[in-house]
Amino acid sequence: MIRLRRRMSALAIAVALTVGVVAATIGASSGNAKAVYSSKLPKTINLTAVEDMTGPVSYVGKAVVEGLTLAMDHINNTPLLGGSKLALTVLDTESSVSTATTVFSQAINSSASAIFGPLLSQEALATAPLAQQAKVVDLAIESQSDNLLPIGNYIWRATVSQLRFDNMIPEVVAPKVTGTKSVRILFDSATPSLVEADAELEAKFKALGFTVLPNIPLAISGAPTPPNWQAEATALEAGSPGAIGILAIGASNSQAVEALRNSGYNGVLFGNEAATDGQLVPAGTAANGFVYAVDYSPCLASKYPSSATFTKIIERSYPSTTPNGYNATGWDAMYEMATAISLSHSATRAGIEQGLTLEQKSKAGFNGTLGPEHLTGRDTTGPGVAVVWDAANQTQTCVKYGNPKDATQP
Amino acid sequence: MALQQLVNAIVFGSVLTLFALGLSLAWGTLDVLNLAHGSLFVFAGFLAYEFSSHVHMAFVFLVLSCMIATGLAAAVMELVAFRHVRLRFASKRQAEMSMMVASIGFSTMLDTIVGNQTQDTSFGPAATAYTVSRTTIGSVTITNIDVVIVVVTVIVAVALDQWVRRSRTGRAVRSIAFDPATSSLLGINVNGLAALTMFVAGALAGLAGVLLAVYVGAEDTTTGQAYLLTAFAILIVGGVGSVRGAIAAAFFISIAETAVVAYGPSNWSNGVAFLLILLVLLIRPAGLFARTRFQRT
Amino acid sequence: MTSLASISSWFTTNQVLIENILIFVLLAFSVQVALRTGIFSLAGIGFYAIGSYTAALLVKDGWPAVLAVFAALALTAIIGYLLAVLLVRLRDLYLAMATFAFDLMVGVVALNWTGLTGGALGVNLIPVSVSLLGLILITIGVMVLLTLMENGTLGRTLSAVREDEQLALSFAVDTRRYRRFAFVISSMLGCLAGAMHALIFNVIQAQDAGFNLIVLALTMVILGGFGSWVGAALGAFLLTWIPIRLTSVGVWWPVYYGGATVLVATFAPGGLIGLARRGLRGTLGLWNRRIGLQPVGSAQPPAHPPPAREIP
């Protein structure tokens, strides 16, 4: 009796698992895109974007997809690709590495000719090897990890690393300092790009004749205890530096600014590009005059016509939100992809990789949302701009434009 | 600087205390390790942001309305899930695990609602909600919100301590923790009291949440998690169910962490709380102020 | 022949999904083994981190994958045993919190010990050393091991330790030894999952094994059913696969996911496996009541609310 019941339970469970496993594959397309060289572009060119559409960084993923989609519509209305039209599929990584790798591999197994990669560095680093192995171009967006591009020649990046334009920040901060010519920086030691940004900024300040007081590394992202911002502020203000830097992402920007102003600090405050897109809004007037550098800002429209085109289009499509660097990098990524296709006259997977290589070799660059941009060593470079936050109008004021001829601003 | 850092540690410790008290109450009396406590905390800050952006009201009313709303949210969790688990599950251990997982589900739901409503960007109460003003006494700068936080914490801690130890309802709540079956035989309305206790626990999270929202000025959906994990450290070090333990542990951890920030390699400040847990577990596993001893076997 | 080819092509197409599921299955086993013995240990996640770093660093150093994994398991067994001795007298949620704290401490060390772990950068370019077939075989091997552990004298003893420790003691069962044993096995399974992750997905970071992973592993086991490894496997499969299917719902999908978690956790004691078993037994009807036996682990909710403690 017992054995019979056990057998039936086991059978039921085995059936359930089998049904489950079969069901798991429904929807996972099994088409295998074979790389066949063809010099005629197909009518529809399929591209897939694997982005974080839900989860804590969904505001970035959604903004990137907005940029991608607008650029795609724009390109489809120009003769850039002959009569061919681009089509975009968006897959959500749910801010989870396991989901990211799973849907990325689904994209690889679909008819997508190339993939726009996810933004979180864990996801980008885990998915890029899959793309390299399958020989599909992975045009990474936003992920600034140093370990990404070395994975292989099919891995490219569309977003300009902030290290290329952060050097302008000290040049803007220096003349504003009324107190002692000294600076102290707090940075999120759990975010590698900010660790590098700190080193770069300190070197530049030193070169400008500032005393660099000992920095404060603080693990913020994913830390199991919250920062005591008042304590950090007191530590930052020790020695009365003329300028204080906060290199952090998300809400920490406003939190740090408020803590510093609440404790009575009157000197210059500066930060990194993560302070963009509304992160300084909750701090209110305390954040007025905050200096940082970004790749894209609406205030670039007066300097670069190509940026103005983008800003106008996106403001028309999404009138209630301010265009930001995430929209811009999505737009630029789509344009880089389309340009590659038009250069190689091929929308096959190998063809797109060849197209990007041609784009890079041509050194002519292209005019994108950041102004004149280039593909350098599978990475994108642009001039960047140092901005000051205007709290009253909640906008950025462009203060120092990067030199488009320098891949990294000196 | 040392004195200023001490003041900073005390204010921060007060916020941690308020937060941990709510968690300790739910766990100590109802065996609910409410992992949604951090989400309730952020939810309160979100409500403060929403209310203050649309309506201009006195700060006291803002705090009270957020507290009540958050308390109700916690009571809903009790009514929808925890109560049924308590009634249906034979084994206490299983009930604890299931309530914990149910609270995880609630946490996901709350975080998504707040995140979608704020486009996952940081938010904070409007400037009109509370005006921060500053005084400097000697080498120490204090703001009005600092004072409010410490005073409120003292009042709440004393009130809670008295309520749990002296009042009839408080003692009834403690008897539920000890033995729900016998309590109900003695005429105690176990279900009603459980809902009330969760309401109070939620309201405490709400109070901490609004005060924190004004204190740090901005937060997003990820802010609550670090507070939740620190609350774990506080409860282990202080002992669950002990109000005095929670207070002592909260300040102890806050002062220790601030000391590391002020004098040591600040990126290890995270480790301080957990190092303390390790020490407590080695020496006195039930917590420094625990009333119930752990079993020997 | 064609069916064999199509089966293998199906595996290739869904390789990453299967790999992700199996790694989570191993992690879920880690939590399940502990819960089944009545130990609320979540330390498996901390050992997931330790296992992944150990395996990654050794393989990058040139060790063969098999040796690297065994080294990681050995290290885990030692640390796990010490931790067990330290913690095993704690009860229920206290033990859960202590192991939670251990997991977070491992994360803090991984983040700050930059020299060894690479800090926030993590370890990358780990050579892929385990194939899909290898992972499947390992998982099946673990399932066999767990089946052996769940049946026979050992299985019944572990259940006794969970259900009524005082009674087990009165039968001269050294409950502390069994609890330590289960703790160590649980830790080693977590380590195995982490090592597999490192050697298949070739990049690991300090934030991988944090609060979210702990919560996910626990949810998988409770929702699937902690009585047997089958429940844990089911939970792991569902919670890896369903979120991907749910994204078509749009940005509110986590609300449905959270709601479903609440409902299953509250109204399905013994998890979904428990529901399935009860459903089956329901159809078998009177037979069961006459026999009166209950399969291990499916805590069937009694007809009336029981007293939380026996009133002597």
Side-chain angles (χ1 to χ4, degrees), chain B residues 104-119:
Chain B
I104 293 170
F106 283 123
S107 172
T108 311
M109 293 170 80
L110 258 183
D111 281 346
T112 309
I113 294 172
V114 172
N116 284 344
Q117 292 299 111
T118 58
Q119 282 88 50

Side-chain angles (χ1 to χ4, degrees), chain C residues 29-30 32-39 41 47 76-78 80-85 87-88 145-146 148-151 153-159 161 173-189:
Chain C
F29 284 164
S30 150
Q32 186 267 331
V33 163
L35 289 185
R36 196 190 163 280
T37 318
I39 308 169
S41 162
F47 288 108
T76 299
I78 297 169
Y81 185 77
L82 292 172
L83 207 59
V85 166
L87 295 181
V88 85
L145 180 75
L146 291 179
L148 291 174
M149 264 181 72
E150 279 175 17
N151 296 312
T153 317
L154 178 59
R156 286 194 295 272
T157 313
L158 292 175
S159 301
V161 169
V173 170
D174 186 352
T175 54
R176 258 193 285 178
R177 195 159 67 94
Y178 282 99
R179 286 165 64 89
R180 280 197 300 261
F181 170 71
F183 191 101
V184 170
I185 296 288
S186 156
S187 307
M188 287 171 74
L189 285 169

Side-chain angles (χ1 to χ4, degrees), chain B residues 116-160:
Chain B
N116 284 344
Q117 292 299 111
T118 58
Q119 282 88 50
D120 283 304
T121 350
S122 54
F123 53 88
T128 50
Y130 190 83
T131 327
V132 176
S133 65
R134 188 171 49 244
T135 17
T136 311
I137 311 171
S139 64
V140 175
T141 307
I142 292 189
T143 61
N144 48 355
I145 186 69
D146 291 346
V147 175
V148 166
I149 288 175
V150 177
V151 168
V152 166
T153 304
V154 169
I155 294 175
V156 167
V158 168
L160 196 66

Side-chain angles (χ1 to χ4, degrees), chain A residues 58 217 225 234 255 261-262 279, chain B residues 8 120 122 134 218 230 266 270:
Chain A
S58 67
T225 56
T234 307
Q255 291 170 340
R261 295 297 186 213
N262 279 347
Q279 300 291 11
Chain B
N8 294 335
D120 283 304
S122 54
R134 188 171 49 244
T230 312
S266 49
N270 288 317

Side-chain angles (χ1 to χ4, degrees), chain A residues 38-47 71-88 113 334 337-338 341-342 345-348:
Chain A
S38 119
S39 60
K40 187 168 159 21
L41 291 177
K43 250 181 90 189
T44 315
I45 302 169
N46 290 313
L47 300 168
M72 180 180 71
D73 294 336
H74 198 241
I75 292 168
N76 284 341
N77 285 328
T78 67
L80 180 65
L81 297 173
S84 300
K85 299 282 180 214
L86 297 168
L88 184 69
S113 301
M334 182 62 80
M337 191 74 82
I341 296 173
S342 77
H345 301 294
S346 163
T348 63

Side-chain angles (χ1 to χ4, degrees), chain A residues 55-56 58-59 189 216-219 223-226 228 230-232 234 251 254-255 258 261-264 277 279 282, chain B residues 1 4-5 8 12 119-122 132 134 143 215-220 222 226-227 229-230 257-258 261 266-267 270 274:
Chain A
S58 67
Y59 66 97
S189 56
I216 300 182
L218 182 66
T225 56
N228 179 353
Q230 291 295 349
E232 304 295 344
T234 307
S254 273
Q255 291 170 340
E258 282 233 20
R261 295 297 186 213
N262 279 347
S263 67
D277 190 37
Q279 300 291 11
Chain B
M1 178 171 95
Q4 177 71 61
Q5 289 291 35
N8 294 335
F12 191 63
Q119 282 88 50
D120 283 304
T121 350
S122 54
V132 176
R134 188 171 49 244
T143 61
Y215 179 51
V216 296
E219 61 186 310
D220 58 27
T222 59
Y227 282 89
L229 299 177
T230 312
E257 277 199 13
T258 309
V261 166
S266 49
N267 55 334
N270 288 317
F274 295 91

Side-chain angles (χ1 to χ4, degrees), chain C residues 85-217:
Chain C
V85 166
L86 184 67
L87 295 181
V88 85
R89 295 200 311 187
L90 290 178
R91 292 286 119 171
D92 305 333
L93 282 179
Y94 287 87
L95 181 61
M97 295 279 266
T99 52
F100 223 117
F102 166 74
D103 295 342
L104 295 174
M105 260 192 288
V106 171
V108 169
V109 169
L111 193 60
N112 287 312
W113 195 352
T114 320
L116 182 70
T117 62
L121 272 173
V123 180
N124 69 317
L125 296 177
I126 308 165
V128 176
S129 326
V130 177
S131 66
L132 175 62
L133 184 63
L135 181 60
I136 292 176
L137 290 176
I138 289 173
T139 309
I140 293 178
V142 171
M143 286 176 181
V144 168
L145 180 75
L146 291 179
T147 311
L148 291 174
M149 264 181 72
E150 279 175 17
N151 296 312
T153 317
L154 178 59
R156 286 194 295 272
T157 313
L158 292 175
S159 301
V161 169
R162 179 189 77 231
E163 290 298 328
D164 196 332
E165 227 182 305
Q166 307 284 13
L167 190 60
L169 279 172
S170 73
F171 275 82
V173 170
D174 186 352
T175 54
R176 258 193 285 178
R177 195 159 67 94
Y178 282 99
R179 286 165 64 89
R180 280 197 300 261
F181 170 71
F183 191 101
V184 170
I185 296 288
S186 156
S187 307
M188 287 171 74
L189 285 169
C191 165
L192 183 63
M196 291 297 106
H197 178 88
L199 299 179
I200 292 180
F201 285 104
N202 75 8
V203 62
I204 54 175
Q205 300 204 306
Q207 297 96 325
D208 280 350
F211 179 76
N212 292 327
L213 190 63
I214 301 174
V215 152
L216 184 60

Side-chain angles (χ1 to χ4, degrees), chain A residues 15-240:
Chain A
V15 166
L17 276 176
T18 314
V19 167
V21 161
V22 167
T25 64
I26 294 175
S29 52
S30 53
N32 250 316
K34 279 275 176 241
V36 173
Y37 182 76
S38 119
S39 60
K40 187 168 159 21
L41 291 177
K43 250 181 90 189
T44 315
I45 302 169
N46 290 313
L47 300 168
T48 301
V50 176
E51 296 298 332
D52 302 84
M53 304 299 284
T54 51
V57 287
S58 67
Y59 66 97
V60 177
K62 287 184 210 160
V64 166
V65 169
E66 281 171 12
L68 283 169
T69 321
L70 281 178
M72 180 180 71
D73 294 336
H74 198 241
I75 292 168
N76 284 341
N77 285 328
T78 67
L80 180 65
L81 297 173
S84 300
K85 299 282 180 214
L86 297 168
L88 184 69
T89 312
V90 179
L91 298 176
D92 184 4
T93 67
E94 297 167 354
S95 301
S96 140
V97 177
S98 62
T99 309
T101 48
T102 306
V103 300
F104 198 93
S105 78
Q106 284 175 3
I108 292 176
N109 289 318
S110 73
S111 57
S113 301
I115 306 174
F116 297 100
L119 79 99
L120 286 178
S121 70
Q122 302 102 291
E123 297 169 0
L125 290 171
T127 53
L130 299 173
Q132 180 64 26
Q133 200 186 6
K135 297 208 182 334
V136 180
V137 164
D138 173 7
L139 186 52
I141 300 186
E142 278 303 323
S143 167
Q144 302 207 343
S145 169
D146 276 342
N147 295 326
L148 187 61
L149 295 177
I151 290 178
N153 63 324
Y154 274 86
I155 316 301
W156 298 69
R157 176 156 53 207
T159 307
V160 180
S161 160
Q162 65 173 336
L163 297 174
R164 298 196 184 271
F165 43 79
D166 274 351
N167 270 329
M168 292 192 284
I169 296 174
E171 291 177 22
V172 172
V173 168
K176 289 178 186 277
V177 171
T178 50
T180 348
K181 273 176 129 42
S182 59
V183 67
R184 182 178 251 126
I185 302 179
L186 180 151
F187 62 94
D188 181 355
S189 56
T191 306
S193 57
L194 295 177
V195 178
E196 292 176 285
D198 165 72
E200 190 186 41
L201 286 169
E202 289 191 19
K204 188 61 192 277
F205 271 110
K206 211 175 293 187
L208 289 176
F210 269 67
T211 316
V212 177
L213 300 169
N215 59 37
I216 300 182
L218 182 66
I220 307 174
S221 304
T225 56
N228 179 353
W229 283 113
Q230 291 295 349
E232 304 295 344
T234 307
L236 277 166
E237 292 160 16
S240 302

